[in-house]
């Protein structure tokens, strides 16, 4: 049975619960309901929000939905669909702007967890170069290119050009696998070997190459694939 929001006790409605307990205590469906604002004639906005989560198998799937897919959901018109996409895009941009450059890389694990948040949901491969000083403090982070990782596109000169500009002593590479298969491909391994060799000639050590998925990462250093 579907309930209209006016039939739900006031204390259980998203706005009232937001004011009473704060946004951190709200369920994902309640937060979505606040964004959607209104339901339909026959169902509440909470019910629509829950259907969205069910349809796309959770918030991660929903965040990657297209405008066309969202508009196919009953109760979600073009305006609501655009508002949802705008919220998710702002979230991704905020995550990408996290001030990594102020920190020191202590472990591949810590860096991997940070990159999962900022790269794990990307639908195209992004290769990122992270430039560090002699104390492994991050100087700069650059997206070198977007696309499938192969040696004809991801040329060492583009990576080491940034390293020279930053006066970097060390660097870490990271790229995401939208498929969430974290095992390095032959191209991944060949590319990494080539970059490490170029780094030896340049006097800039490649500390690690991370492959990033939506929930986990793969470290070539941790797996002894980088000396």
């Amino acid at each position: 049975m579907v309930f209209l929001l006016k039939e739900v006790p006031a204390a259980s409605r998203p706005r009232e619960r937001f004011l009473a307990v704060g946004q951190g205590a709200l369920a994902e469906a309640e937060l979505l309901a606040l964004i959607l604002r209104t339901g339909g004639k026959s169902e509440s906005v909470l019910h629509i929000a829950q259907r969205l989560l069910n349809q796309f198998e959770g918030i991660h799937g929903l965040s990657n939905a297209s405008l066309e897919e969202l508009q196919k959901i009953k109760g979600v018109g073009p305006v609501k669909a655009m508002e949802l996409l705008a919220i998710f895009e702002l979230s991704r941009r905020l995550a990408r702007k996290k001030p990594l450059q102020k920190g020191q890389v202590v472990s591949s694990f810590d860096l991997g967890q940070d990159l999962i948040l900022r790269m794990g949901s990307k639908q195209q491969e992004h290769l990122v170069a992270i430039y560090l000083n002699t104390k492994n403090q991050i100087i700069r982070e650059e997206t070198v290119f977007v696309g499938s990782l192969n040696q004809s596109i991801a040329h060492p000169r583009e990576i080491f050009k940034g390293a020279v500009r930053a006066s970097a002593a060390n660097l870490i590479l990271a790229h995401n696998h939208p498929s969430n298969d974290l095992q390095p491909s032959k191209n991944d391994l060949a590319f990494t070997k080539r970059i490490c060799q170029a780094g030896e000639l340049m006097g800039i050590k490649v500390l690690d190459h991370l492959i990033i998925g939506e929930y986990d990462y793969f470290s070539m250093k941790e797996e002894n694939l980088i000396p």
Side-chain angles (χ1 to χ4, degrees), residues 11 42 74 110 158 164 166 184:
S42 60
K74 181 182 176 182
D110 288 339
E158 300 303 321
V164 171

Side-chain angles (χ1 to χ4, degrees), residues 32 52 76 81 125 129 157 193 208 219:
L32 278 174
L52 278 168
V76 180
E125 286 192 17
R157 66 170 167 262
K193 182 178 179 180
D208 203 348
S219 162

Side-chain angles (χ1 to χ4, degrees), residues 82-136:
M82 285 188 288
E83 287 173 344
L84 285 172
L85 290 178
I87 289 291
F88 289 128
E89 180 59 26
L90 283 171
S91 298
R92 281 189 282 265
R93 294 188 187 188
L94 179 61
R96 288 198 295 267
K97 291 181 181 296
K98 186 176 179 179
L100 248 183
Q101 68 273 14
K102 293 183 179 179
Q104 181 181 32
V105 175
V106 177
S107 68
S108 295
F109 175 81
D110 288 339
L111 182 59
Q113 297 307 306
D114 181 275
L115 292 171
I116 287 169
L117 291 174
R118 299 188 293 116
M119 298 177 66
S121 63
K122 292 182 183 296
Q123 297 302 295
Q124 280 187 290
E125 286 192 17
H126 287 62
L127 176 66
V128 169
I130 301 169
Y131 303 116
L132 307 101
N133 62 20
T134 56
K135 296 181 179 179
N136 288 341

Side-chain angles (χ1 to χ4, degrees), residues 150-168:
N150 64 68
Q151 296 185 56
S152 63
I153 298 176
H155 198 280
R157 66 170 167 262
E158 300 303 321
I159 293 168
F160 287 100
K161 185 190 299 181
V164 171
R165 284 199 304 265
S167 299

